[in-house]
Amino acid sequence: MTSGFTIFAGTANAALAASIARQLGVGLGACGIERFPDGEVAVRLLEPVRRKEVFLVQPTSPPVNDNLVELLALADACRRAAAARITAVLPYFGYARADKRHGCREPITGRVIADLLEAVGIDHVVTVDLHAPQIEGFFHLPVDSLTAMPTLCRALRDRLPSDAVVVSPDAGRTRLATQYAQCLGAPVVVLHKQRESGTETHVTHVIGDVSNRPCLIVDDIISTGGTLAESVTALLNAGARPEIIIAATHGLLLQGVRDKLVDPAIREVLVTDSVSVTEQNWPQLRVASIAPLIADALERFLTDGTLGDLYKANASNPVADKEKKKHASTALS
Ligand code: R5P
């Protein structure tokens, strides 16, 4: 039997954790998190968690390894303090892109992370827009991967020109782009991307018609911005109207990203707060909060409610339903 619940925030995104807690009508659990001079992490829970349901909110965003170890240490502290159940809320799951081997003598680091989370006694993982759904299969415990797509579509409402096309920046995001397109009632275009290295990509083909159309490029992650910068160039070269909106769930926004996305054709860059966004002085950048989505999910766990509709990309259709019917087919030729 559990006796209440506590939400602890790691240091990666305490503002999001606080916002989730506020929406659930509670304060954050008290804990101390420090770094020793040698870089090691020191964690202490400052309140009891015995028989409690515990939620640890920590995206494993950059600095990825530090934030991961902090989460592992918090979970271990909760387990040793006899928490009834530990749910790790990772709004962004680092190493998700390391989900397969590209050649021999390579690790599958995404799997290693899953093993580590299980090893410290985490019972349940909640994440948002997991880079590849098969990562769920790395775990033996329940994983709930929510989607921020309806949140982002709501934020795009009224801002997207009615003749816009939704663009997938590579084959891997085609499904995501199709979900956005269905939600927004727009056609889909797919770019063929080749990755030359961790920082270099190249778009070789635009599949679909973008002539004189505004574009909404959707992605799960903006890291260096290379993928999107290449996509914008390819779309403009293919005749797209210089009216481009970018929407992505996880704005890692590494150093230099803003400079890559300064093209005047880019009207807006929309991300969620799954990762703490500290960028200042970037007027095109807008942040939509996923705190209500996560708070809703946690409330449902606490009341044994179903999460089914929080998974579904088309759970709520915030934009034009009738437009959706009109454009049901894609622009793919
Ligand atoms: C790739 O598969 C992902 O979906 C993103 O497109 C990619 O990780 C973005 O990285 P960057 O901003 O460094 O191009």
Side-chain angles (χ1 to χ4, degrees):
M1 194 175 100
T2 61
S3 71
F5 72 98
T6 308
I7 302 174
F8 290 107
T11 58
N13 196 347
L16 175 66
S19 177
I20 295 168
R22 215 169 23 249
Q23 309 223 5
L24 291 171
V26 296
L28 285 175
C31 65
I33 303 175
E34 282 179 68
R35 292 276 184 282
F36 284 118
D38 61 0
E40 288 180 358
V41 67
V43 160
R44 179 186 288 264
L45 305 181
L46 301 173
E47 59 180 65
V49 292
R50 186 176 304 278
R51 289 200 306 276
K52 280 195 166 179
E53 176 98 38
V54 171
F55 298 105
L56 305 175
V57 181
Q58 174 85 326
T60 47
S61 50
V64 182
N65 301 332
D66 284 3
N67 287 335
L68 172 68
V69 172
E70 203 179 286
L71 173 63
L72 298 173
L74 279 168
D76 190 61
C78 292
R79 182 175 59 87
R80 291 175 194 280
R85 191 160 72 142
I86 305 169
T87 296
V89 181
L90 292 97
Y92 169 72
F93 189 102
Y95 285 109
R97 288 176 285 180
D99 61 341
K100 56 177 133 2
R101 299 198 320 149
H102 296 278
C104 54
R105 297 185 296 280
E106 284 190 9
I108 302 178
T109 315
R111 169 63 203 251
V112 175
I113 305 304
D115 287 347
L116 287 171
L117 295 175
E118 290 201 22
V120 292
I122 286 167
D123 300 292
H124 178 197
V125 170
V126 177
T127 186
V128 180
D129 288 337
L130 204 50
H131 178 67
Q134 63 269 24
I135 291 166
E136 191 181 326
F138 293 169
F139 290 88
H140 296 102
L141 44 84
V143 176
D144 286 299
S145 180
L146 313 174
T147 177
M149 199 277 289
T151 305
L152 290 170
C153 281
R154 269 194 297 278
L156 290 163
R157 190 195 332 224
D158 302 333
R159 301 170 85 96
L160 198 68
S162 58
D163 54 344
V165 296
V166 177
V167 179
S168 169
D170 55 32
R173 293 308 112 198
T174 307
R175 186 160 171 262
L176 178 76
T178 305
Q179 289 167 344
Y180 271 89
Q182 283 170 348
C183 187
L184 295 164
V188 183
V189 164
V190 179
L191 304 184
H192 181 69
K193 174 179 97 175
Q194 268 177 357
R195 185 168 278 286
E196 314 294 346
S197 70
T199 52
E200 241 185 287
T201 58
H202 187 57
V203 175
T204 54
H205 296 92
V206 176
I207 308 161
D209 184 14
V210 294
S211 350
N212 199 29
R213 307 284 291 262
C215 298
L216 167 68
I217 313 176
V218 296
D219 209 344
D220 59 335
I221 302 168
I222 307 177
S223 181
T224 65
T227 299
L228 292 171
E230 269 285 326
S231 304
V232 169
T233 306
L235 291 169
L236 294 174
N237 288 342
R241 205 186 304 162
E243 227 179 297
I244 294 179
I245 295 179
I246 290 167
T249 305
H250 309 294
L252 305 186
L253 308 181
L254 302 189
Q255 205 181 2
V257 71
R258 191 173 45 128
D259 296 339
K260 281 204 179 122
L261 301 177
V262 283
D263 193 310
I266 302 175
R267 299 292 164 87
E268 181 171 320
V269 177
L270 175 66
V271 294
T272 76
D273 56 356
S274 66
V275 171
S276 171
V277 176
T278 51
E279 263 293 338
Q280 311 257 325
N281 194 21
W282 188 355
Q284 288 77 18
L285 183 65
R286 210 155 59 94
V287 182
S289 181
I290 51 167
L293 170 73
I294 296 177
D296 189 0
L298 302 197
E299 190 159 29
R300 292 176 194 217
F301 299 143
L302 292 166
T303 54
D304 287 331
T306 171
L307 253 71
D309 57 330
L310 296 186
Y311 277 86
K312 289 188 203 130
N314 57 357
S316 61
N317 185 343
V319 191
D321 259 343
K322 38 184 191 256
E323 283 297 303
K324 176 173 159 183
K325 288 203 185 97
K326 206 160 82 190
H327 295 289
S329 59
T330 72
L332 298 173
S333 48

